[in-house]
Amino acid sequence: EPEVTQTPSHQVTQMGQEVILRCVPISNHLYFYWYRQILGQKVEFLVSFYNNEISEKSEIFDDQFSVERPDGSNFTLKIRSTKLEDSAMYFCASKQAYEQYFGPGTRLTVT
Amino acid sequence: EDQVTQSPEALRLQEGESSSLNCSYTVSGLRGLFWYRQDPGKGPEFLFTLYSAGEEKEKERLKATLTKKESFLHITAPKPEDSATYLCAVQAAGANSKLTFGKGITLSVRP
């Protein structure tokens, strides 16, 4: 069964460093998303992406964040200069029509 | 602003003891209401989509129902493997709209 994959599963970085989180969405899906979940809190929307451009972004998704679909299979989230408060699980999701399917997540720890 | 409230926050059941999980929502034009299961340290796993009031969907021991203000996830004769956090999310009108999640309900089923 097709699934969304994410790498790495765990990333530890120092404050101020750049990180890139990678996702491979399900192959025939057209809509792509990033969400995050701070420990003990709800899943929060960051950004949606369709037809090679951002469709919608939340207040969290400021100038420090960017997304890219560099080729036909990968979808990336870049955080330019990480802060302590960026520590969270980051989930990639994709959909073809209605249901969004989520990847296993990348745990980002900023020290 | 779209809002989702889930109750109770946690629920402990004896194996075989049926119960219901509640999700109340406010959204500007509901496109869909989604139930996900999340195991610790994992990504949300899709369970159901409900589109209109009166709709019901079933899968094994789970049944989801929808009214104009809330949704219920009924668990019949639960087993220990049903232990997880159950997330409710709404999507407003618009093909690429984000999901707005509730905090989730942590279900523990004792053998």
Side-chain angles (χ1 to χ4, degrees):
Chain A
E1 185 177 325
E3 57 184 21
V4 177
T5 60
Q6 291 186 242
T7 54
S9 57
H10 190 191
Q11 173 90 48
V12 181
T13 189
Q14 289 191 326
M15 198 166 51
Q17 295 296 304
E18 174 184 289
V19 293
I20 297 176
L21 310 183
R22 303 180 191 280
C23 168
V24 179
I26 295 172
S27 62
N28 62 345
H29 286 190
L30 302 175
Y31 301 88
F32 312 112
Y33 306 83
W34 284 101
Y35 293 81
R36 79 173 186 189
Q37 186 176 31
I38 295 170
L39 190 63
Q41 298 188 23
K42 62 175 68 175
V43 177
E44 301 175 287
F45 168 77
L46 293 177
V47 65
S48 59
F49 192 86
Y50 171 71
N51 200 25
N52 279 320
E53 60 183 22
I54 291 174
S55 310
E56 186 179 2
K57 58 185 180 181
S58 71
E59 292 176 355
I60 303 167
F61 195 89
D62 61 21
D63 292 344
Q64 294 302 309
F65 291 85
S66 62
V67 289
E68 194 177 33
R69 187 152 163 83
D71 52 42
S73 58
N74 291 282
F75 181 50
T76 62
L77 174 70
K78 182 194 289 187
I79 309 175
R80 253 181 281 283
S81 178
T82 50
K83 304 172 190 170
L84 293 176
E85 53 264 38
D86 293 328
S87 294
M89 281 286 282
Y90 287 80
F91 295 110
C92 173
S94 69
K95 75 171 187 180
Q96 185 182 41
Y98 297 107
E99 296 88 16
Q100 293 184 26
Y101 291 89
F102 285 74
T106 292
R107 179 171 298 284
L108 177 65
T109 303
V110 182
T111 62
Chain B
E1 185 180 331
D2 304 337
Q3 286 197 325
V4 177
T5 303
Q6 294 187 250
S7 61
E9 287 188 13
L11 184 61
R12 295 185 70 181
L13 299 175
Q14 197 69 36
E15 185 172 1
E17 179 187 0
S18 302
S19 188
S20 295
L21 313 181
N22 176 262
C23 170
S24 300
Y25 66 91
T26 54
V27 62
S28 51
L30 181 70
R31 179 174 173 86
L33 183 139
F34 302 81
W35 282 98
Y36 287 85
R37 170 188 169 129
Q38 186 176 31
D39 291 301
K42 302 287 180 64
E45 175 190 344
F46 171 74
L47 292 174
F48 302 110
T49 312
L50 301 165
Y51 296 105
S52 57
E55 190 174 0
E56 298 183 354
K57 294 241 176 110
E58 280 189 74
K59 180 180 177 180
E60 296 181 355
R61 295 178 291 283
L62 301 177
K63 182 166 110 175
T65 62
L66 181 65
T67 72
K68 287 188 177 178
K69 293 184 179 179
E70 56 191 353
S71 176
F72 291 93
L73 185 65
H74 307 277
I75 302 179
T76 302
K79 298 182 177 181
E81 53 261 41
D82 295 322
S83 299
T85 296
Y86 291 86
L87 306 177
C88 174
V90 295
Q91 184 184 27
N96 200 19
S97 291
K98 64 180 188 264
L99 293 179
T100 299
F101 281 86
K103 284 189 171 181
I105 297 170
T106 301
L107 174 67
S108 300
V109 182
R110 301 188 301 274

